[in-house]
Amino acid sequence: MNAVLLAVLVVSLLLAAVARRLDVSAPLALVVAGLGVGLIPGLPDIQLDPELVLFVILPPLLWSAGLESSSVALRRNVRPIGLLAVGLPLATTFAVGFVAFHTVPELTVAAALTLGAIVAPPDAVSATAVGRRLGLPRQTMTLLGGESLLNDATALTAYKVALGAAVGTAVSWRDGLGTFALAAVGGALVGGLLGALIVGIRARLNDPVVESAIGLVAPFTIYLLAEEVHGSGVIAVVVAALISGQRSIRASYATRLQDDAVWRAAQLVLESFAFLLIGLQLPKVVGELTGISARTLVIASAAVFGTVLMVRLVWVFLFAYLPRWVSPRLRHSEPAPPPAQVFVVAWAGMRGVVSLAAAFGVPMTTMSGAEFPGRPQLVFLTFVVVVGTLLLHGLTLPWLIRVLGVQGDEAHRDALAAAAAQSKAAQAAADRLDELMAEQEPGSDVHDRAAEVLRGWNNRRANSAWERLGRDEEDIGESPASAFRRLRLEMLAAERETFIAERDAGRIDDEVLRSVLRGLDLEEATLNRR
């Protein structure tokens, strides 16, 4: 089985590489490929292990997303994010539970609510990836990103409560609310304490390799500890990641460069593996549907799938405008978003591997020893919702974004703000250089020449930010900053080839080569920064 999982991992990375090369949605391509491979007869059964997803795949993905998120933007949008990440999963749980109970005879009320909690949380990984590539407005990206960080915590906690009732554990409404509150508060406390501890430890190490290693094991440790104290591991990881991401600006440049590379690679590996696993579950899901009416499955699938879509559409539109209709103060302070932008948020409801993991985590029997009511139908309906939303939204979302013209106009404002900040930074650097030169002995030609070079470099950096605000180089020709960058890159390439030739000739060791190449790579990264 380990060899099979390794093969799945390798194939998923190869398919993701091809998808990225062709500029198509990698999650969508991987799911379709998994469905196709799953239909090939004779292949070994690859069952999705819930613990693999919840304890191995989910924590690092949450951590990576939290590091990239802005705590300032999340606080600024706490009301709409709360409605999407808390209110919407609960509404979906009850709506789907009601529909499933009336369309699948085998499901009890508790089992139907378990299904509702399972399909409630959207997986916003692919939606945010599409939005980032097509230039969605920053407000929309903040909402989708904030929702993806917290909705799993809401849905998984509701899942625990509903599943406890379904298997026969005594769960009252008061117990359910207590479990929910304990998960939220406990997860936030664990995440806050461990996040601050990790930041403090890393700040005192001054060792980029060890700091990145700590960052790699942090999400698994935080998730496990939070779950051990009955808190929400999802909330704990998210809170700790937000703290770490906010403090990362104080880390060394080497740590930031290394963390960025490490987490981009880890995110690609885990996402590719997870989405290919989704498609490969088809034989397992269909194989359990023995002796079940096809008519019942078709009706239930259409009803549950339609409910999932409609609840999100109604909820997003309702709470995008209702608070502004009710509160004049809110109406004046926050202009209503355009309907096209609201529709994109409402349509970005793709479900993912967390839902399937929760479905496969449903036990075969209850506490009394009887079969879990309607478990094969529950797993099948979850698969229908996951694959259906990935295919429907994945195929239509890019087209809708282009047709509706929902694209951000922040590029020029960002460039203007960056240029203004760059001017202030350049002035501060120039002032500091003047202070240092004043401390030197007068008449020092070495220091004067060094200061002249540094002033020229500082001026080029300040001017380049303003040059980017103007017309394209096709209109005005190559700017001085662009010419400097192009020529310096050519010089770096020549230096790199010379160092490699010296290594090949045996005049320097590989260790020396790696050391000098790192310096050249850092300078090239600075020149190529966006």
Side-chain angles (χ1 to χ4, degrees), residues 179-389:
T179 301
F180 203 93
L182 177 61
V185 176
L189 287 176
V190 170
L193 291 174
L194 293 182
L197 178 63
I198 290 170
V199 167
I201 293 174
R202 294 182 67 180
R204 288 164 174 78
L205 289 175
N206 195 25
D207 187 335
V209 175
V210 177
E211 291 178 48
S212 290
I214 291 175
L216 276 175
V217 301
F220 305 104
T221 305
I222 294 169
Y223 190 93
L224 182 61
L225 289 177
E227 291 292 326
E228 285 294 322
V229 299
H230 304 292
S232 169
V234 174
I235 293 179
V237 172
V238 168
V239 170
L242 289 173
I243 294 173
S244 297
Q246 191 72 14
R247 304 288 177 84
S248 65
I249 57 175
R250 302 294 181 186
S252 67
Y253 75 93
T255 300
R256 284 195 299 273
L257 287 173
Q258 185 154 289
D259 277 353
D260 182 67
V262 165
W263 282 111
R264 284 181 184 274
Q267 190 173 6
L268 176 64
V269 170
L270 294 172
E271 289 176 3
S272 303
F273 182 66
F275 282 110
L276 185 60
L277 272 180
I278 290 175
L280 292 173
Q281 302 312 301
L282 179 60
K284 174 70 175 177
V285 172
V286 175
E288 293 182 349
L289 296 173
T290 55
I292 300 175
S293 167
R295 180 175 180 274
T296 300
L297 287 177
V298 171
I299 294 175
S301 298
V304 170
F305 187 73
T307 302
V308 169
L309 297 182
M310 290 306 301
V311 168
R312 184 173 179 89
L313 284 168
V314 172
W315 183 276
V316 171
F317 270 95
L318 180 65
F319 286 99
Y321 298 107
L322 180 62
R324 292 173 175 84
W325 294 338
V326 174
S327 172
R329 182 183 60 83
L330 184 62
R331 187 163 57 246
H332 290 296
S333 61
E334 296 182 19
Q341 186 173 332
V342 177
F343 185 78
V344 167
V345 174
W347 199 246
M350 291 172 271
R351 269 57 179 177
V353 69
V354 172
S355 293
L356 270 182
F360 282 114
V362 173
M364 304 296 292
T365 60
T366 64
M367 296 290 290
S368 64
E371 291 186 356
F372 189 95
R375 186 183 186 277
Q377 295 93 322
L378 182 150
V379 175
F380 177 77
L381 291 174
T382 302
F383 187 82
V384 168
V385 171
V386 170
V387 175
T389 53

Side-chain angles (χ1 to χ4, degrees), residues 5 35 38 62-63 69 100 118 161 169 175 195 198 200 212 292 336 364 378 388 390 421 451 454 471 484 508 510:
L5 289 178
L35 290 172
L62 290 171
W63 182 268
S69 300
I118 288 172
V161 175
T169 305
D175 293 334
I198 290 170
S212 290
I292 300 175
M364 304 296 292
L378 182 150
L390 281 172
L454 290 172
R471 292 171 293 171
F484 174 85
I508 62 174
D510 277 294

Side-chain angles (χ1 to χ4, degrees), residues 85-145:
V86 179
L88 180 54
L90 293 178
T92 305
T93 297
F94 286 104
V96 171
F98 177 82
V99 171
F101 177 71
H102 287 87
T103 55
V104 182
E106 292 82 0
L107 291 179
T108 63
V109 173
L113 289 174
T114 302
L115 172 63
I118 288 172
V119 300
D123 184 297
V125 169
S126 48
T128 53
V130 171
R132 192 178 297 110
R133 187 171 70 248
L134 298 178
L136 279 178
R138 182 168 297 142
Q139 173 75 4
T140 303
M141 295 298 297
T142 299
L143 294 180
L144 291 176

